[in-house]
Amino acid sequence: MAVPATLWRPGMTITDARLNARDYQAGQLVVSFTNLASYTLPVTFPEPFPVAPIMNCEIAAGAGSTGRFEARPINVTPTGWTLFVLITDAAEGPDTWVGVPVHWTARMPT
């Protein structure tokens, strides 16, 4: 179980849980899809958070059609989230991705 990291305050007790606390997690997804204008992928955090974290995700490539897409986290919970990739110009039509990296970060709210 995740224990939120805490800034040190006088009188605090050092515990194993506090020393091993993770209030920040990050990762990379490799995304592939065929002939789509939007795509979703459920993601589970390596370690659950006590509350839903603040999330960010970014497409880590600019080659080809990736420049016409955006990525964002949706349905964020303490245990996971869903990657939502969508084309920003519907007039361009669907596209195909093969092995496109998407980076993500999650942190405890302050």
Side-chain angles (χ1 to χ4, degrees):
M1 175 175 173
V3 176
T6 307
L7 295 176
W8 179 260
R9 287 182 226 138
M12 282 184 131
T13 303
I14 297 175
T15 64
D16 286 341
R18 186 162 286 134
L19 289 173
N20 294 318
R22 294 180 61 185
D23 60 358
Y24 175 87
Q25 296 181 46
Q28 175 179 301
L29 307 170
V30 178
V31 179
S32 298
F33 56 81
T34 303
N35 200 35
L36 295 175
S38 67
Y39 173 78
T40 59
L41 176 68
V43 180
T44 302
F45 293 121
E47 184 177 329
F49 285 92
V51 298
I54 296 170
M55 292 276 321
N56 182 45
C57 62
E58 297 178 1
I59 301 166
S65 65
T66 59
R68 298 184 295 121
F69 281 79
E70 74 174 56
R72 64 179 181 230
I74 61 173
N75 304 326
V76 179
T77 70
T79 59
W81 59 288
T82 300
L83 170 67
F84 180 45
V85 175
L86 67 150
I87 197 164
T88 56
D89 184 358
E92 293 292 325
D95 212 330
T96 297
W97 282 18
V98 177
V100 175
V102 176
H103 296 171
W104 63 268
T105 60
R107 68 173 175 83
M108 287 290 296
T110 55

